[in-house]
Amino acid sequence: MSDTIALDVAGLAKTYRSPGRDVEAVRDLTFQIRRGELVCIVGPSGAGKTTLLRCIAGLLDLSGGQIRLDGTAVTEPPAGMAVVFQEYGRSLFPWLTVRGNVELPLKEKGLAKAARAAKVAEALDAVGLPDSADAHPWQLSGGMQQRVAIARAIAYEPSVLLMDEPFAAVDAQTRADLEDLVRTLWKRLGVTVLFVTHDIDESVYLGQRVLVLSNRPTVVLEDVPVDLPDDRDQLTTRSSPQFTKIRTHVYELVQSAKRGERPEVR
Amino acid sequence: MTTTTPTMPGPAALRPVRATGRRRQPVLGLLGCLIAVAVVEALPRLGVVDSRFLPPFSTMARSLGEQLTEGEFWTGLGQTLVGWASGLAIAMVAGIVVGVVIGSIPLLRAVTASTIEFLRPIPSVALIPLVVLIYGSRPQSALILVVYAAFWQVLVQVLYGVADVDPVVRDTARSYRFSRWAIIRSVVWPTAMPYVVTGFRLAASVALILEITAELIIGVPGLGKSIGVAQSSGAVPETYALVLVVGLLGVLINVCTRAVERRVLRWHTSVRGEA
Ligand SMILES: Nc1ncnc2c1ncn2[C@@H]1O[C@H](COP(=O)(O)OP(=O)(O)OP(=O)(O)O)[C@@H](O)[C@H]1O
Ligand SMILES: [Mg+2]
């Protein structure tokens, strides 16, 4: 059983320390994610979702607890992990073209030129941007920039993909397309996905499980399984009674999290 | 298209883009030059000023024409340009290397900050007695002054540039496991580039000023020395002609560095233009 666990977060705590002001962002988070699972994380704004993701990505020092990826403790950015940041526009390199942006991590990974070109083309194709390879990121719309960031992540062929509210800035139609894209890619690549969102419907539509976080200092309020069929569709899935039931439950959880409700102390 | 485009990090060091009057400016500028030439021509001819001190422009121009046929002039010009360029090159390399190293290591930056603030405002010309003592009127004297003056311009800009790296971009690079060197090469350097180019432009002008100053005051061989010689032998039109050449050199350098700036920062100015 334990060999199918990809990500193991145990007693994670993170307090931001700065002179004169300490912020306890995450108090005690424990959860596990199996290999190839797609898990969504929801929680009130400021709950520490980004903090959690940055800890998993090895970009922050922990204040307590441990994060293990495939059995190894995370102390620096682990190999085989790609992150799509909340500030996707700022995470693209403006001096590079779209192609350059997607290609650079592959170059640093040591891939040969021909292999890189193939992967870049494939990834841009997957996100529906085959014609924008030579544009610069700032010549694209927000939704297109977002897709470049996603293309860069999938071209990297990670085994774990972290996404932080990646669709916050795009319009509803693009958003629905991108949601379907994430599910398609997840199924095709068999990658483990951790998807942070503040959109409850989105979390239920995308995830196999939804982790609901309490407000700060953060703990897991509830781990909600999403027992919807694997083949999901924007119209039929979202209008199914089962979907409504789960989303209502998650909605109530988030509301109670906002009110400051927390699980009883263990 | 621009609705959700996030704002790009823009270096404060760049001049704001002037949108209006771009087309009219060269015409007006040329007109200004013509008027200045006409005034300089007219004043001595009308006897408003003594032509021994300010000869008419045509006399200066004739003198300049004569100089152009003499090897001595070209030697001087060459010496000035070589002194300027080598000093500028050394300052650029040193400024960039030191700037990137200091800027990348927070501790080093904190330690050096006050030293830099102390050394930077010392005018290069204040070092003249020192360099004369060591090198006399050899080219090294000019080189040291040029390097000293230009170095700070570059260093300060590079420090700003390195500090301007977006934390999200840095995290992106780290999460894709870029090596330290790769981060400098493909994140820090492109971010600092606009600042480096600004530093280059500032340093290029300052370097010329210091090169001419050293030649004029210390007697380091070059156009500045020729000016001094012409002046002390009472050759007024020649003096003016040489001063004009130095002025044109300054203009030329400025035009070239601006062209370089525009070329290098194409992506950058475009970002600013669209925003
Ligand atoms: N660098 C930092 N220094 C100090 N405090 C921070 C820092 N980053 C985040 N925090 C604090 O930690 C808490 C959690 O922040 P975080 O960004 O993780 O929230 P979030 O759940 O991602 O919120 P949102 O949904 O709005 O993105 C907040 O109270 C925030 O003020
Ligand atoms: Mg966040």
Side-chain angles (χ1 to χ4, degrees):
Chain A
M1 172 71 203
S2 73
D3 66 332
T4 64
I5 300 291
L7 187 67
D8 183 5
V9 177
L12 171 66
K14 173 67 193 176
T15 302
Y16 288 103
R17 299 198 187 282
S18 48
R21 203 178 97 95
D22 286 358
V23 180
E24 187 184 10
V26 174
R27 175 167 290 175
D28 182 10
L29 276 179
T30 299
F31 61 89
Q32 296 180 324
I33 293 177
R34 286 191 303 280
R35 194 161 295 138
E37 213 175 4
L38 200 174
V39 176
C40 290
I41 295 180
V42 294
S45 182
K49 304 182 291 295
T50 299
T51 305
L52 167 64
L53 236 55
R54 287 165 54 85
C55 286
I56 296 174
L59 297 170
L60 280 180
D61 293 328
L62 313 184
S63 314
Q66 204 180 37
I67 297 173
R68 289 176 161 276
L69 183 67
D70 294 324
T72 328
V74 173
T75 51
E76 53 163 16
M81 180 181 280
V83 186
V84 177
F85 289 91
Q86 192 165 2
E87 308 90 340
Y88 57 86
R90 280 168 59 200
S91 92
L92 296 175
F93 305 121
W95 50 86
L96 295 179
T97 60
V98 165
R99 175 182 290 113
N101 266 281
V102 179
E103 189 176 15
L104 189 54
L106 306 180
K107 217 186 226 165
E108 296 304 329
K109 212 178 174 183
L111 256 68
K113 202 177 165 107
R116 293 202 304 258
K119 285 197 201 308
V120 171
E122 197 185 330
L124 287 178
D125 229 23
V127 298
L129 287 176
D131 302 328
S132 304
D134 294 313
H136 282 265
W138 37 268
Q139 292 169 321
L140 305 179
S141 71
M144 290 160 92
Q145 292 178 15
Q146 181 60 79
R147 282 184 275 167
V148 175
I150 296 174
R152 181 169 64 185
I154 59 176
Y156 192 65
E157 295 183 343
S159 53
V160 179
L161 177 59
L162 308 181
M163 304 180 95
D164 192 358
E165 301 195 23
F167 310 149
V170 302
D171 63 278
Q173 186 52 51
T174 311
R175 187 174 189 134
D177 291 345
L178 290 175
E179 285 167 3
D180 290 331
L181 173 69
V182 166
R183 274 196 69 88
T184 312
L185 290 171
W186 164 67
K187 271 191 253 178
R188 213 174 69 200
L189 305 175
V191 48
T192 309
V193 181
L194 200 56
F195 190 103
V196 168
T197 174
H198 58 227
D199 183 324
I200 291 157
D201 288 50
E202 183 170 86
S203 71
V204 177
Y205 179 73
L206 283 179
Q208 294 179 302
R209 271 159 69 202
V210 178
L211 288 176
V212 184
L213 302 187
S214 75
N215 66 2
R216 219 158 46 80
T218 311
V219 296
V220 176
L221 197 60
E222 195 174 314
D223 186 343
V224 183
V226 179
D227 41 2
L228 290 171
D230 239 9
D231 269 329
R232 297 186 191 177
D233 173 78
Q234 290 287 353
L235 288 178
T236 51
T237 305
R238 282 179 190 267
S239 56
S240 73
Q242 184 64 0
F243 180 89
T244 315
K245 203 183 111 213
I246 302 169
R247 84 162 286 285
T248 307
H249 180 56
V250 174
Y251 183 85
E252 282 165 359
L253 282 170
V254 172
Q255 286 304 319
S256 67
K258 277 188 189 156
R259 284 196 306 272
E261 225 160 278
R262 323 174 58 81
E264 55 283 6
V265 195
R266 280 166 295 170
Chain B
M1 165 173 156
T2 52
T3 44
T4 50
T5 309
T7 51
M8 287 299 167
L14 278 186
R15 296 148 291 112
V17 179
R18 286 181 303 267
T20 52
R22 252 216 192 125
R23 206 150 297 156
R24 262 188 328 180
Q25 238 168 22
V27 179
L28 288 178
L30 207 63
L31 192 67
C33 285
L34 286 177
I35 291 174
V37 166
V39 168
V40 173
E41 182 70 31
L43 287 181
R45 286 199 187 281
L46 296 174
V48 182
V49 295
D50 193 330
S51 63
R52 276 178 305 165
F53 302 130
L54 181 69
F57 184 81
S58 50
T59 314
M60 297 181 199
R62 203 171 315 121
S63 164
L64 178 59
E66 282 162 19
Q67 305 240 10
L68 293 182
T69 61
E70 287 170 24
E72 210 179 314
F73 168 82
W74 293 105
T75 314
L77 180 64
Q79 284 161 335
T80 298
L81 284 179
V82 167
W84 167 78
S86 48
L88 182 59
I90 294 172
M92 282 299 289
V93 172
I96 289 171
V97 170
V98 174
V100 168
V101 169
I102 291 181
S104 306
I105 305 172
L107 181 70
L108 207 54
R109 177 148 207 195
V111 170
T112 53
S114 48
T115 315
I116 291 176
E117 283 316 306
F118 172 74
L119 290 176
R120 189 163 69 107
I122 298 178
S124 252
V125 285
L127 299 181
I128 287 181
L130 192 67
V131 295
V132 169
L133 213 61
I134 304 174
Y135 293 111
S137 59
R138 279 180 287 165
Q140 285 96 318
S141 286
L143 191 68
I144 287 180
L145 297 183
V146 169
V147 170
Y148 187 86
F151 172 74
W152 297 114
Q153 304 286 342
V154 182
L155 178 70
V156 169
Q157 289 298 324
V158 172
L159 284 177
Y160 281 136
V162 174
D164 196 39
V165 172
D166 192 307
V168 182
V169 165
R170 192 181 286 277
D171 279 350
T172 304
R174 279 182 62 204
S175 73
Y176 284 114
R177 295 165 62 85
F178 287 21
S179 65
R180 208 184 170 82
W181 169 239
I183 289 183
I184 288 179
R185 180 167 38 81
S186 49
V187 174
V188 174
W189 177 247
T191 307
M193 199 60 202
Y195 295 87
V196 172
V197 177
T198 303
F200 173 67
R201 183 165 53 76
L202 298 175
S205 322
V206 168
L208 183 67
I209 293 173
L210 265 297
E211 176 67 31
I212 299 295
T213 306
E215 292 167 1
L216 197 57
I217 295 184
I218 311 177
V220 174
L223 279 187
K225 185 179 180 183
S226 310
I227 293 177
V229 170
Q231 182 255 347
S232 56
S233 58
V236 177
E238 265 137 74
T239 310
Y240 275 106
L242 288 170
V243 169
L244 270 180
V245 170
V246 172
L248 287 175
L249 212 55
V251 172
L252 201 66
I253 286 171
N254 214 336
V255 168
C256 291
T257 51
R258 277 186 195 281
V260 170
E261 200 170 18
R262 263 197 304 278
R263 246 193 106 76
V264 173
L265 302 186
R266 222 171 10 201
W267 69 266
H268 200 272
T269 41
S270 311
V271 172
R272 293 168 62 84
E274 291 287 310

